[in-house]
Amino acid sequence: MDIENRTVVIPRKEDTTKGEEPVKVWPLVEAALNEIDADQPTHQAAEAAMEVSDGCATLANFLISQAEQVEKMDYRFKVPLIVLGAKLAREDGGAETIYDPDEGAFHFETDEHQFAFEVYEDWTVDWERVADRVQENYNWDGVEKQVWALDWLMAYLEVPSDDYMVDDEDEDDDQYYSRI
């Protein structure tokens, strides 16, 4: 798959936009990666993750987790990446997608994790058309997914954690820090 030219058409609610134009996903993801000063292995892991549905959810989770590290995060990647992940989920079976209109959240259930993305601000998107199913008051595990976001993303590149984590040699508590 040519990740750099991959496009999605974002389904819009009736009378909210003039049309549904294809959107290139990678340039938006790349802009967010550049915003957080991601290194080359992280860029490569992001490209690999975008090839599968659960990877798109993992990548979106990672980028959102990094928003606190920058002054102003560019979230233009979020909707196209979620839509791409949902489209790929129908093709590869790697995730089930659920839209909860009551909570304003879009969920990915993968074999390994559950991810929840707040989408209530993206009100022009027809999330019901994007999701496999709609369920009010969807019961998800509620566990914060951002702590291990980099590890999960790097798994798509199949890079050992020693290659992207550094040990703080001044400490005795076995703390490791990402190079990004």
Side-chain angles (χ1 to χ4, degrees):
M1 177 186 316
D2 181 11
I3 296 301
E4 292 182 10
N5 293 311
R6 184 73 192 251
T7 62
V8 293
V9 175
I10 300 168
R12 301 290 180 176
K13 291 182 182 174
E14 192 173 329
D15 298 328
T16 59
T17 60
K18 292 181 181 180
E20 298 174 357
E21 298 292 323
V23 176
K24 283 189 176 182
V25 183
W26 176 250
L28 302 174
V29 168
E30 187 174 39
L33 289 167
N34 291 339
E35 188 71 30
I36 63 170
D37 292 326
D39 60 9
Q40 189 59 33
T42 305
H43 278 262
Q44 292 169 339
E47 288 183 47
M50 285 180 56
E51 293 182 13
V52 291
S53 59
D54 58 339
C56 289
T58 301
L59 177 57
N61 179 65
F62 168 73
L63 291 171
I64 291 168
S65 76
Q66 297 301 301
E68 296 174 1
Q69 310 303 320
V70 295
E71 187 174 318
K72 183 167 171 63
M73 183 63 161
D74 183 353
Y75 285 101
R76 292 177 300 155
F77 70 87
K78 185 175 140 187
V79 170
L81 189 55
I82 290 172
V83 171
L84 176 60
K87 179 181 180 206
L88 291 174
R90 288 186 188 90
E91 296 171 8
D92 67 20
E96 181 181 8
T97 57
I98 303 101
Y99 172 57
D100 182 344
D102 191 50
E103 294 292 324
F106 195 89
H107 301 271
F108 281 83
E109 276 193 9
T110 72
D111 290 340
E112 302 292 323
H113 310 286
Q114 289 181 326
F115 296 103
F117 301 100
E118 293 179 347
V119 294
Y120 61 89
E121 292 179 352
D122 305 300
W123 61 272
T124 64
V125 178
D126 189 346
W127 291 109
E128 292 183 11
R129 284 177 38 203
V130 176
D132 293 324
R133 66 183 163 107
V134 176
Q135 182 177 335
E136 290 186 11
N137 299 312
Y138 174 70
N139 187 19
W140 69 292
D141 68 10
V143 176
E144 188 64 43
K145 302 294 185 201
Q146 298 177 352
V147 173
W148 302 105
L150 180 61
D151 293 327
W152 294 340
L153 179 62
M154 286 304 195
Y156 290 92
L157 194 54
E158 298 178 9
V159 172
S161 62
D162 291 344
D163 289 355
Y164 66 90
M165 301 296 277
V166 292
D167 185 3
D168 186 357
E169 296 171 3
D170 297 332
E171 299 289 329
D172 293 329
D173 59 2
D174 293 327
Q175 286 285 324
Y176 290 88
Y177 301 93
S178 168
R179 290 190 174 122
I180 65 166

